[in-house]
Amino acid sequence: MNPVDTGTNPVYTRYRTKFREFLKELASMPLQGFDEVVRMLEESSEPEFAAIYVSMISRTAGLWLVWEDYCRSVSSEFMGLCRDIEAAISESGTRIGGVSSFFNSSLKKLLVKMHADLSPGIVVPAWIITYSSFTGDKVVLHLAGLHPSEQLRRLPYFVAVLGTLDAILKAYLDYYLTKGSDFAYITAEYIYWEVAKPTTLFFDAVVDELSCGKCINTRKDLYELVLSALEENDTEPPHLSPKSYIASLSREVQRVLYRRLSSERLRAFQLGA
């Protein structure tokens, strides 16, 4: 899994700066308030729907790529596969002529809802803000009203969800690049870089700031698993169980975050002494 050149990415730099400022703000809170947010971090647990979001987003992206790969010019061998996808879209009330639009809007709606339900609101990608205002979702207003303790409670599992999604969607991208399927690769490139990466870049910013090597290794393990599954069968999205990866990542983020907050608190105390 080739790393992204985050060092020259201004969005990455902004995310990492905002996260660092968030930690310093927490560390400078009065004792009672700091104890409260740390307790929320210790009690942080993954909501059941975190894995559901990952499954739904990765499956939507996967079906879109199957369509682009096999159904643009359908051979008799894959006629049934493409009809199944078309039938599912027809049941949603979308015209078959708008398959790409259907998947694109479905993917974006899922990511917007995921932000509203899971994000700590430390950063919100520009396209999420624009799209949520277009659809009438009050994502920004909702996240802006979160208390710091709730932000911290949400942080470990949100970062874990982002890392899990990043691994899966990057595997899709690299697989279709190697396969040489033009339509599928162009679509995978759009999904990863234009739709997902402005969100999952927060994972990179957080784990780099916290020096979480285990987080990066867990993402790599999942990436390799998805890539292997696609190499065996790419006529359907891989059947994944993301829950264990989310749990592993969130526990590790929670551990290194607690260590970093303790360090920041001690530094703030020394400066104020």
Side-chain angles (χ1 to χ4, degrees):
M1 182 174 184
N2 296 326
V4 178
D5 183 12
T6 52
T8 59
N9 189 313
V11 177
Y12 166 86
T13 302
R14 179 168 63 85
Y15 284 5
R16 190 163 176 176
T17 300
K18 293 285 287 184
F19 177 61
R20 191 181 299 130
E21 290 172 350
F22 173 70
L23 295 180
K24 289 180 177 178
E25 180 183 343
L26 292 179
S28 63
M29 294 178 73
L31 180 59
Q32 184 176 353
F34 182 75
D35 288 346
E36 179 187 347
V37 296
V38 169
R39 185 175 67 255
M40 291 296 283
L41 174 62
E42 293 171 342
E43 295 173 356
S44 176
S45 60
E46 175 208 338
E48 288 296 324
F49 49 81
I52 295 174
Y53 272 120
V54 171
S55 296
M56 291 177 67
I57 291 168
S58 59
R59 179 165 178 78
T60 299
L63 284 173
W64 188 1
L65 295 170
V66 170
W67 168 269
E68 297 293 347
D69 193 20
Y70 287 105
C71 303
R72 283 286 181 176
S73 54
V74 189
S75 67
S76 58
E77 182 182 357
F78 299 106
M79 191 73 71
L81 169 69
C82 298
R83 282 176 178 165
D84 288 344
I85 296 175
E86 291 175 356
I89 296 172
S90 294
E91 289 173 5
S92 73
T94 303
R95 293 181 301 103
I96 294 304
V99 170
S100 294
S101 295
F102 167 79
F103 282 121
N104 188 34
S105 62
S106 297
L107 203 55
K108 287 183 174 179
K109 286 176 183 176
L110 282 169
L111 282 163
V112 167
K113 289 183 180 299
M114 182 192 78
H115 267 78
D117 288 340
L118 302 179
S119 174
I122 299 169
V123 297
V124 182
W127 82 256
I128 294 283
I129 297 172
T130 303
Y131 198 81
S132 63
S133 61
F134 170 74
T135 58
D137 293 296
K138 306 296 183 182
V139 173
V140 178
L141 289 175
H142 169 66
L143 295 178
L146 294 178
H147 188 274
S149 60
E150 175 62 14
Q151 288 183 293
L152 190 60
R153 187 187 69 81
R154 286 176 168 224
L155 184 61
Y157 58 76
F158 182 65
V159 172
V161 164
L162 297 185
T164 305
L165 280 175
D166 191 78
I168 295 169
L169 298 179
K170 186 62 163 62
Y172 285 163
L173 173 63
D174 289 351
Y175 173 75
Y176 285 106
L177 171 63
T178 303
K179 185 177 182 180
S181 176
D182 291 342
F183 286 120
Y185 172 67
I186 291 170
T187 304
E189 192 174 37
Y190 165 76
I191 291 170
Y192 185 72
W193 290 113
E194 301 298 325
V195 179
K197 200 60 189 179
T199 295
T200 63
L201 200 57
F202 187 58
F203 171 87
D204 296 294
V206 170
V207 300
D208 287 349
E209 183 63 27
L210 297 176
S211 301
C212 187
K214 287 185 179 180
C215 299
I216 295 171
N217 290 336
T218 300
R219 177 176 62 174
K220 182 181 177 182
D221 290 344
L222 178 57
Y223 163 86
E224 292 175 348
L225 177 68
V226 175
L227 200 59
S228 177
L230 287 167
E231 288 167 353
E232 290 183 13
N233 177 22
D234 66 0
T235 61
E236 61 179 348
H239 295 283
L240 302 170
S241 179
K243 191 174 179 62
S244 62
Y245 289 92
I246 295 171
S248 176
L249 278 169
S250 61
R251 282 195 302 268
E252 189 58 24
V253 171
Q254 191 176 18
R255 185 185 69 81
V256 294
L257 185 55
Y258 184 85
R259 184 180 63 194
R260 175 61 177 272
L261 273 175
S262 299
S263 175
E264 290 287 346
R265 183 65 174 177
L266 178 61
R267 185 179 297 111
F269 177 78
Q270 291 171 338
L271 290 173

